[in-house]
Amino acid sequence: MTINEKSIHTDFTNNMTYGEYLGLDQLLSSQHQLSGHHDEMLFIVIHQVSELWMKLIIHEMEAAIRLIQQDELQPAFKMLARVSKIQTQIIQAWDVLSTLTPAEYMEFREKLGQASGFQSYQYRQIEFLLGYKTAHILTIYQKDQQLHDILEKVYHAPSIYDAAIGALARAGFPINPDLIGRDYSVTYTVDPTVEAAWLLVYADVEKYWDLYQLAEKLIDIEDSLQQWRFRHMKTVERIIGFKMGTGGSSGVQYLKKVLDHRFFPELWDLRTKL
């Protein structure tokens, strides 16, 4: 059977192509290997793809925060659901990277110098958007003032959990007033009024359906982030064992430690208290 698609465009002399729209010339020429080792391309591509996914996560989360602050929860849910789907892609990327063996990685690891995923500014931006604020992290980015300014702005801005707590207050729950307009550069810690509010939401799901959905969307995101952190830790352990990271961190030990941090503590605690 012959298929004749006469309408397919073939002349792009005066029209934009697929590659031009996506900037593929620049994108596909951005893999600069520093060694002659075959597997360095894998290492570069995996990290670049993850950074592209993180760019989309930031795009969706920033928009979701604005919508939650305006009590436009339904469109925010779509964005947060998309974030969760993106996270599955980033988690699965570790499966591809784990095909890199320790012997293969040692062939080019020294070429990285002090460059490390620890310095990923987009990952730090995601942490800030989720509410984990660490001042010393900002010093890593002093080399680039524009980048430092972007991160500092997010550092002082309300996180998505701050936005959710604001939604609880506007819904009539007696939230601690000190939490509204607080110093958002300080990492949030458990507050009994927030815990009490979420318990009421979960006790009457039908009445507080939108807030209940919001809480579960946040749990989805934190759950996936912790899965990503765990796969990161195990992949690093599989490839370099307990060596120090190229960025100067303790490597696996550092990655194990951050697994203990919780972004939305009351949403986890209430499961025991319901």
Side-chain angles (χ1 to χ4, degrees):
M1 179 180 176
T2 301
I3 299 175
N4 186 8
E5 294 283 356
K6 293 182 179 180
S7 62
I8 292 177
H9 297 290
T10 57
D11 183 1
F12 290 92
T13 305
N14 299 309
N15 295 295
M16 177 177 65
T17 66
Y18 169 83
E20 289 169 340
Y21 173 67
L22 295 177
L24 290 182
D25 283 350
Q26 181 179 359
L27 185 66
L28 298 179
S29 61
S30 296
Q31 294 73 46
H32 306 296
Q33 293 179 256
L34 299 179
S35 74
H37 196 273
H38 173 82
D39 292 303
E40 188 183 358
M41 180 63 78
L42 163 68
F43 190 82
I44 293 171
V45 168
I46 285 292
H47 287 85
Q48 287 183 338
V49 168
S50 294
E51 290 290 338
L52 284 172
W53 280 129
M54 282 192 276
K55 182 173 183 175
L56 186 54
I57 286 174
I58 292 165
H59 176 72
E60 299 295 340
M61 284 190 60
E62 287 181 334
I65 289 172
R66 290 193 296 270
L67 288 167
I68 294 167
Q69 289 171 329
Q70 298 164 12
D71 292 322
E72 295 286 341
L73 297 185
Q74 287 299 324
F77 295 157
K78 174 66 180 295
M79 295 168 183
L80 296 179
R82 181 175 292 161
V83 168
S84 294
K85 291 294 185 181
I86 297 166
Q87 288 176 297
T88 64
Q89 298 296 312
I90 297 181
I91 292 167
Q92 290 173 358
W94 294 120
D95 293 337
V96 183
L97 187 59
S98 65
T99 65
L100 181 69
T101 69
E104 290 163 348
Y105 184 47
M106 287 304 110
E107 292 290 330
F108 62 86
R109 187 180 190 236
E110 65 177 15
K111 298 292 185 181
L112 303 180
Q114 295 180 333
S116 165
F118 184 85
Q119 299 145 17
S120 169
Y121 67 87
Q122 289 199 126
Y123 177 72
R124 298 305 176 183
Q125 196 169 347
I126 290 170
E127 283 191 330
F128 289 176
L129 288 167
L130 291 173
Y132 185 42
K133 309 291 183 76
T134 44
H136 72 277
I137 289 297
L138 291 173
T139 61
I140 297 172
Y141 309 100
Q142 290 176 340
K143 179 179 179 179
D144 187 330
Q145 188 61 48
Q146 183 179 6
L147 183 56
H148 185 275
D149 290 346
I150 291 171
L151 284 168
E152 189 169 38
K153 182 179 178 181
V154 183
Y155 178 72
H156 289 287
S159 70
I160 195 163
Y161 199 48
D162 290 310
I165 291 170
L168 288 172
R170 291 189 299 276
F173 292 98
I175 298 297
N176 179 357
D178 291 341
L179 297 179
I180 309 302
R182 68 184 185 89
D183 180 357
Y184 297 120
S185 69
V186 178
T187 297
Y188 175 82
T189 55
V190 172
D191 184 276
T193 65
V194 173
E195 183 179 85
W198 285 126
L199 279 168
L200 288 171
V201 168
Y202 275 73
D204 195 342
V205 170
E206 185 175 346
K207 181 178 180 180
Y208 301 113
W209 178 248
D210 280 356
L211 291 170
Y212 171 72
Q213 280 188 290
L214 174 59
E216 286 298 297
K217 290 287 188 289
L218 294 180
I219 284 290
D220 287 343
I221 289 171
E222 179 165 355
D223 190 346
S224 293
L225 185 70
Q226 294 293 48
Q227 290 182 49
W228 182 90
R229 282 174 161 177
F230 180 79
R231 290 293 294 121
H232 183 190
M233 181 268 293
K234 294 306 291 183
T235 302
V236 170
E237 184 178 359
R238 176 172 176 159
I239 296 174
I240 68 167
F242 287 82
K243 292 185 181 75
M244 181 177 287
T246 52
S249 76
S250 58
V252 169
Q253 295 295 353
Y254 170 80
L255 296 173
K256 283 185 176 180
K257 187 166 58 178
V258 298
L259 282 171
D260 292 332
H261 175 76
R262 298 188 303 171
F263 293 94
F264 317 128
E266 292 91 354
L267 295 181
W268 293 102
D269 290 342
L270 69 81
R271 279 148 167 78
T272 304
K273 298 180 180 180
L274 275 175

